[in-house]
Amino acid sequence: MIAMSMRIGLGFDSHAFKAGVPLVIGGLHIDHPEGLAGHSDGDLLLHAITDALLGAVSAGDIGTFFPPTDPKWKGADSTVFLNTALEEIALVGFKIVNIDCVLIMHRPKIVPIAAEMRERVADLLHLDINNVSIKGKTPEGLSQDGTAVAHVVVLLESIKLPDEHKKLSAQADAPNEAEIDAALTTIASEPHDLSRLGRKLPTFDTDDLT
Ligand code: MG
């Protein structure tokens, strides 16, 4: 268990544009003549978010969990990677406070689709949209028109122990067995209570690995 109450994580990813593949960024399918080349669906934003989350709890990176050498992840829906990272932070007792992202690409323009993308990412992370920021930049002077880049920072905070914990201490002299049982059950399940993140169970069903 990590003792600190707040953690910060940084994620980065880049993918080259490629004709004839679908473009998916932040879980959002975007109508564009080119997509992003990659072993998975090439969703660089979800990859960078996954790395930021794993980094925040020192749990390695996306390659640790999903080696690109494994044919199982060919064309994978990147929400599978993201859900694993959400599970990792919840297992050590953390939840997301907010996330800030920068997407750098020549085309498509991010600003016109940023609101929809924020909504999608907020949904995937089970966050209020006000806690998700996505900014678009063009790669001025970088000669990177054929490349998409994502930078992400995420802040995490400890999931607080329930009030029952304090109540239990206060009642130590005159314990009510049923109440203590109930409180202990809550406390024992707390660090593993993934519903705190409102997360859905990761979908490892191969049907999703398109
Ligand atoms: Mg990637």
Side-chain angles (χ1 to χ4, degrees):
M1 174 72 76
I2 295 164
M4 290 173 66
S5 63
M6 300 201 98
R7 307 281 297 189
I8 192 165
L10 171 67
F12 167 87
D13 198 24
S14 67
H15 282 253
F17 279 99
K18 183 185 175 183
V21 296
L23 180 61
V24 187
I25 304 176
L28 189 70
H29 290 257
I30 300 158
D31 189 21
H32 192 66
E34 295 183 311
L36 293 168
H39 187 63
S40 65
D41 64 6
D43 192 331
L44 81 167
L45 181 54
L46 294 195
H47 297 173
I49 295 173
T50 299
D51 263 3
L53 291 170
L54 293 174
V57 294
S58 305
D61 63 22
I62 195 167
T64 315
F65 289 82
F66 307 99
T69 48
D70 190 338
K72 191 160 68 170
W73 308 118
K74 182 95 188 90
D77 181 335
S78 295
T79 57
V80 173
F81 310 148
L82 188 67
N83 283 337
T84 297
L86 288 175
E87 185 179 14
E88 285 300 310
I89 67 161
L91 284 172
V92 291
F94 280 82
K95 65 176 182 175
I96 302 169
V97 177
N98 75 304
I99 184 162
D100 189 17
C101 314
V102 183
L103 286 169
I104 307 163
M105 64 194 73
H106 183 59
R107 289 281 187 279
K109 292 288 181 198
I110 296 302
V111 171
I113 53 174
E116 202 182 345
M117 196 181 288
R118 284 175 66 208
E119 218 170 285
R120 177 74 179 129
V121 170
D123 190 40
L124 290 170
L125 296 176
H126 316 293
L127 290 175
D128 187 286
I129 194 168
N130 294 322
N131 295 324
V132 176
S133 157
I134 297 174
K135 310 189 295 294
K137 306 285 282 184
T138 48
E140 299 299 329
L142 293 175
S143 304
Q144 287 182 353
D145 288 1
T147 309
V149 171
H151 296 270
V152 171
V153 285
V154 63
L155 185 67
L156 309 185
E157 68 177 351
S158 291
I159 296 168
K160 289 176 186 68
L161 281 172
D163 291 341
E164 279 81 356
H165 186 236
K166 293 172 200 154
K167 209 164 52 172
L168 179 64
S169 309
Q171 290 172 345
D173 292 337
N176 171 314
E177 209 172 319
E179 273 184 81
I180 288 175
D181 276 354
L184 283 175
T185 305
T186 312
I187 291 163
S189 65
E190 195 65 17
H192 303 284
D193 183 7
L194 305 184
S195 66
R196 278 288 181 139
L197 288 169
R199 65 179 280 277
K200 295 159 192 157
L201 288 173
T203 48
F204 285 104
D205 191 319
T206 49
D207 286 344
D208 290 331
L209 303 177
T210 54

